[in-house]
Amino acid sequence: MNLGARTHLFWPLLLITAALAAVFAAYFRIGPPLQAAIVFPFVLLCPGMALARLLPLRGELEAWVLAVALSLTLGILVALAMLIAGGWSPLGGLTSLAAVTLYGAVLQLARGPVQHRQRLGAQSR
Amino acid sequence: MNVAVTDVRQGHWSWPPTTLPLVAVVVAASLWISSLSAIDPGQMTDLGLLSVLPVRFYAGLGLLLISACAVIYYGRAHPALFTLHVVVLIGMIHGTPAWVYGTLRYSWAWKHVGIVDYIQRHGAVDPAVSVLPAYHNWPGFFALSALLTEGAGFENPLAYASWAPVIFNLLNLGALTLLLRSLTRDRRLIALATLLFFVTNWVGQDYFAPQALGYFLHLVILAICTTWLGAAQPPSLHTIRRLLLWRRLAAAVHAVLHRAAATEPGDRAAKGPMARGWAILVLLLFAAVVTSHQLTPVMTIITVTGLVLVRRCRDWLLPILMVALFIGWLATGAGTFMTDGLASLIASIGQVTDHVNSSLRDASRFSAGQVIVSLVVRALTLAVWTLAFLGAIRRWRAGKRDLSAWVLGAAPFVPLVGDSYGGEILFRTFLFSLPAAAFFVAALIYPRSRQGRTKGAAVPSALLSGLLLTGFLFSYYGKDRQYYFTSQEAAATVYVATHAPPGTLLVEGSRNYPSQFKNYENFIYVPIAREPADSQARVVADPVGTFVRWMSDARYNDAYIILTRGQKIDTESLGSLPPGALSNIERALRHSPRFRVVFANDDAVVFVLASDKQGSGQREVSAQ
């Protein structure tokens, strides 16, 4: 497996792991600080990173800023939807965000190394 | 973050590109960390946290600032090195209170914890609630916080809310960098503007609050609009003449638009389906803003509209859709609040002078230290705007039109026409105009890419940054004697919150204490410091008689009086009650057989009527 393929797999696999870990930690209530150490980075970064890395960006700064902004936005919208629907469930909210994260991660995997090479090419300009 | 600083000159003496600045950062951070144990917030004077910061804290800040300005000027250090300077700066300024205080800073942050507590208990919001209704009508931030808190296994946001200023400022660092990159390619200008932003942002809307989140999303939206949705083709002279009948004006506007298009970055603008994708992303982020904060959507709409009008954002449909989203939320999610407040909002439109004056408190009753802080705040604000104007002129004369930056700087002044925003509109205007203001202030030093070839550019930038930082420290830390609360004060609130039934009257010395963070909706709040003058006079003259009347009212299921250290400091500093009033009231209540103490510690006391058995039939509890 060449460096490009390994690099391409890093984020999708990390995102999938983070999503599953967050839902697991919340479902089994493993308790802080470990539960917080898993859930906080997941909610604040992962759903957005799963989608942001599908965009034509130049550099990690753009990816991270857009990822956090998107994650906060998705978190707000999911939480609001629960409030409005009268079905408040933090576990349900985390599961929804995990679903978005898994969707984005799978898309990144499916798009494959071709898009990753294009992004690396954009970063080198 | 990689703010690459392109090299612009060969110095007369060599500057190790990485080693010396790195050593400076390490030394500065070491000075800071070593100073933390020496800071005793309980010893703060009327000048706030400034009065208890050791000399080595200031030495570390000064060293950091000089090193950052040198890194910018010489431009041969690794790009990440400047980022490290700013990250450490943010840690020093915003991490110090979080580390040293041990409790959540600022009374409004505690109230926001209370809204999250409400959502955690009820799984819903109540737009018709009588206390703090605005938060229930714009609940986005609080809903997210409740999700995070429970998802992480915490009992409440107090576990992490103290660190919100550090987190939000780090987020703003990233967003601001993206935004500034869309204004200029000169990396020295970007870097110095970034540094100046963080040494002038005294407004303090970076705490655990919807405004902090809204502001970050606002910056990201603007960055997207000016980067991926930017660089629209300016209209032709013929088109402009049809809109502006005066030929000379039309020619001037045409020249400015084309000059801006030629000099501002625009190589990232997306086209076709990708542009629509970015627009959808903007609307998604805006939806989060609309549901979380009242003022930020207004600022965002006005700014994006301005960018469209000067053709620095190509999507003319975007402001229209944003207005639709905004009105949609006002009519639905915030409908209850708008029904009650719309009449007063309409009546206040156009009262610019009143709105400005409402932001400028009458300092004649302030304590001496707070008068100094108030004057420094006003001086710093005026200085930044004045320097920004001068920098904008210097850029214009250097051939740069900077239309995007002009819009970013001017648009936040428009809401001054609409509403006073609870007396805070002037400071919010400063906050939202600050990215552009910092850009233009930096342009005084680096007006164009080839400027700053002499040694003189490093020294003025360091001096300017140092002066502005001095003003910032007074402005940001100057009220911390009021903003700092002890755990004992919080314990008093917990006692009342866990013993009082719904419909309880809670008489407070002032609102400045850890209040409303638990079961907040159970209380009817009466802060003595906010009573009308005649009512205050009656309380001060006869506290026992007045409170017996209030607390015997059959409308209330129970009644408490809570007096704390923070309330006394607040009323003394701001002159909202006569000097010593709260201490005198406490003494009178303690000596009166008509009241008894149900909770007391070194920093707070809670009274009930001696005849009152319901809900407060507890012996006196002395807490740790």
Side-chain angles (χ1 to χ4, degrees):
Chain A
M1 182 184 290
N2 60 34
L3 177 62
R6 283 204 299 269
T7 310
H8 157 68
L9 288 176
F10 173 75
W11 271 109
L13 292 180
L14 179 65
L15 291 170
I16 291 170
T17 306
L20 296 175
V23 174
F24 176 90
Y27 182 78
F28 288 104
R29 298 186 187 184
I30 61 178
L34 185 57
Q35 186 173 342
I38 295 171
V39 169
F40 259 76
F42 167 70
V43 172
L44 297 181
L45 183 65
C46 292
M49 188 61 88
L51 301 177
R53 297 194 86 86
L54 299 171
L55 297 168
L57 303 176
R58 265 187 221 165
E60 291 301 314
L61 173 64
E62 294 177 359
W64 281 77
V65 172
L66 290 174
V68 174
L70 259 176
S71 294
L72 291 171
T73 296
L74 291 169
I76 285 173
L77 297 179
V78 164
L80 266 182
M82 290 193 295
L83 280 186
I84 293 170
W88 180 254
S89 165
L91 181 60
L94 287 177
T95 306
S96 303
L97 294 175
V100 172
T101 306
L102 291 173
Y103 173 73
V106 166
L107 270 185
Q108 289 184 36
L109 285 171
R111 287 196 179 191
V114 171
Q115 190 211 28
H116 184 67
R117 282 199 296 273
Q118 289 172 343
R119 290 194 66 240
L120 286 177
Q123 288 175 21
S124 66
R125 286 200 289 272
Chain B
M1 182 188 86
N2 290 315
V3 178
V5 182
T6 56
D7 45 334
V8 289
R9 66 169 299 249
Q10 298 296 319
H12 290 290
W13 46 277
S14 66
W15 176 260
T18 303
T19 312
L20 215 50
L22 193 56
V23 168
V25 171
V26 170
V27 171
S30 302
L31 287 170
W32 165 49
I33 291 169
S34 72
S35 71
L36 291 175
S37 59
I39 301 173
D40 181 0
Q43 299 301 313
M44 279 192 277
T45 69
D46 209 19
L47 286 177
L49 188 59
L50 286 174
S51 59
V52 293
L53 292 175
V55 171
R56 53 187 184 274
F57 181 93
Y58 295 111
L61 266 184
L63 180 62
L64 196 65
L65 217 57
I66 292 170
S67 178
C69 290
V71 165
I72 295 171
Y73 176 67
Y74 285 98
R76 281 180 283 159
H78 192 280
L81 192 53
F82 174 74
T83 307
L84 185 61
H85 282 75
V86 181
V87 169
V88 172
L89 180 71
I90 289 172
M92 290 181 75
I93 291 172
H94 302 287
T96 298
W99 184 267
V100 167
Y101 290 179
T103 54
L104 186 58
R105 176 179 180 260
Y106 193 41
S107 61
W108 278 98
W110 290 85
K111 294 169 182 43
H112 296 163
V113 171
I115 304 296
V116 178
D117 167 71
Y118 185 100
I119 293 175
Q120 286 180 258
R121 286 182 289 112
H122 296 278
V125 290
D126 178 8
V129 72
S130 58
V131 183
L132 304 177
Y135 295 140
H136 290 252
N137 286 260
W138 282 269
F141 167 80
F142 303 107
L144 172 65
S145 299
L147 174 62
L148 257 179
T149 300
E150 294 190 52
F154 289 129
E155 185 185 330
N156 56 49
L158 290 174
Y160 58 88
S162 293
W163 296 96
V166 176
I167 301 300
F168 281 120
N169 277 286
L170 289 175
L171 293 181
N172 288 342
L173 173 60
L176 181 68
T177 304
L178 288 190
L179 181 59
L180 290 173
R181 282 182 182 178
S182 73
L183 303 183
T184 180
R185 292 183 184 86
D186 186 344
R187 300 306 180 106
R188 301 168 310 159
L189 188 47
I190 294 171
L192 185 57
T194 303
L195 184 67
L196 292 176
F197 176 90
F198 287 103
V199 301
T200 55
N201 187 9
W202 64 266
V203 181
Q205 288 296 317
D206 48 14
Y207 67 107
F208 183 70
Q211 174 69 92
L213 176 61
Y215 189 71
F216 165 65
L217 294 178
H218 168 81
L219 292 181
V220 176
I221 288 172
L222 295 184
I224 295 173
C225 287
T226 52
T227 306
W228 293 282
L229 293 174
Q233 186 64 27
S236 66
L237 181 59
H238 176 70
T239 304
I240 297 175
R241 274 188 191 155
R242 290 171 67 183
L243 295 169
L244 303 172
L245 300 177
W246 189 17
R247 280 191 156 210
R248 277 194 179 177
L249 179 61
V253 169
H254 178 258
V256 167
L257 291 178
H258 275 264
R259 181 71 186 157
T263 54
E264 289 189 33
D267 55 326
R268 304 291 308 280
K271 293 187 173 70
M274 202 61 234
R276 282 194 286 278
W278 283 110
I280 291 171
L281 178 57
V282 165
L283 290 173
L284 202 60
L285 300 181
F286 188 68
V289 176
V290 157
T291 56
S292 298
H293 198 244
Q294 291 176 305
L295 179 64
T296 307
V298 176
M299 292 289 191
T300 309
I301 288 172
I302 294 172
T303 309
V304 172
T305 303
L307 290 171
V308 168
L309 288 175
V310 299
R311 307 302 286 151
R312 302 317 300 154
C313 175
R314 62 179 56 209
D315 195 331
W316 57 267
L317 197 53
L318 203 52
I320 297 173
L321 293 175
M322 290 167 108
V323 169
L325 267 177
F326 181 55
I327 292 176
W329 184 256
L330 292 182
T332 54
T336 308
F337 188 88
M338 291 310 297
T339 303
D340 295 337
L342 191 57
S344 63
L345 175 63
I346 292 173
S348 72
I349 292 175
Q351 311 294 326
V352 178
T353 309
D354 291 345
H355 300 158
V356 170
N357 287 336
S358 68
S359 296
L360 302 172
R361 279 185 165 184
D362 178 13
S364 61
R365 300 166 68 179
F366 288 4
S367 59
Q370 290 303 295
V371 169
I372 294 172
V373 170
S374 175
L375 289 174
V376 172
V377 165
R378 297 178 192 195
L380 177 63
T381 304
L382 205 55
V384 169
W385 276 336
T386 303
L387 290 171
F389 181 72
L390 294 174
I393 299 299
R394 193 161 191 214
R395 282 279 287 186
W396 192 277
R397 293 181 63 171
K400 308 290 185 182
R401 293 299 172 251
D402 298 319
L403 281 187
S404 300
W406 276 95
V407 169
L408 295 180
F413 285 86
V414 174
L416 280 173
V417 175
D419 189 64
S420 69
Y421 200 63
E424 292 195 7
I425 190 62
L426 196 58
F427 308 133
R428 306 291 175 123
T429 296
F430 178 82
L431 174 67
F432 281 89
S433 68
L434 191 55
F439 173 81
F440 282 126
V441 175
L444 275 176
I445 310 294
Y446 300 114
R448 61 166 76 93
S449 299
R450 295 297 171 193
Q451 203 82 3
R453 282 188 168 274
T454 63
K455 272 188 189 171
V459 173
S461 64
L463 281 176
L464 179 64
S465 306
L467 273 171
L468 293 173
L469 176 65
T470 304
F472 166 84
L473 290 174
F474 272 89
S475 307
Y476 192 77
Y477 286 152
K479 290 187 174 180
D480 269 49
R481 191 163 168 244
Q482 292 117 277
Y483 293 168
Y484 163 63
F485 304 115
T486 65
S487 55
Q488 299 200 65
E489 293 177 89
T493 304
V494 170
Y495 174 85
V496 175
T498 52
H499 286 79
T504 294
L505 171 70
L506 183 59
V507 179
E508 313 159 305
S510 79
R511 305 302 348 268
N512 190 69
Y513 71 107
S515 70
Q516 298 182 314
F517 70 93
K518 196 170 180 62
N519 301 335
Y520 94 93
E521 74 277 13
N522 285 351
F523 300 91
I524 296 94
Y525 299 90
V526 179
I528 302 168
R530 292 194 184 179
E531 283 289 282
D534 55 343
S535 178
Q536 275 190 13
R538 282 195 293 275
V539 169
V540 171
D542 179 21
V544 172
T546 306
F547 290 151
V548 167
R549 272 197 313 279
W550 289 3
M551 296 167 75
S552 302
D553 194 323
R555 288 177 296 171
Y556 307 121
N557 295 329
D558 207 344
Y560 292 82
I561 303 171
I562 183 167
L563 301 174
T564 74
R565 166 200 156 277
Q567 294 170 6
K568 292 173 185 171
I569 290 172
D570 177 58
T571 54
E572 298 281 345
S573 298
L574 301 181
S576 48
L577 284 173
L582 289 184
S583 297
N584 294 336
I585 290 170
E586 179 181 342
R587 205 168 9 250
L589 296 179
R590 279 187 183 273
H591 287 113
S592 169
R594 305 185 75 176
F595 288 89
R596 66 188 168 90
V597 174
V598 291
F599 183 94
N601 56 35
D602 290 341
D603 295 330
V605 61
V606 179
F607 296 94
V608 297
L609 288 174
S611 58
D612 191 350
K613 298 285 190 285
Q614 177 190 9
S616 55
Q618 305 280 336
R619 61 184 170 80
E620 177 173 339
V621 176
S622 293
Q624 289 78 29

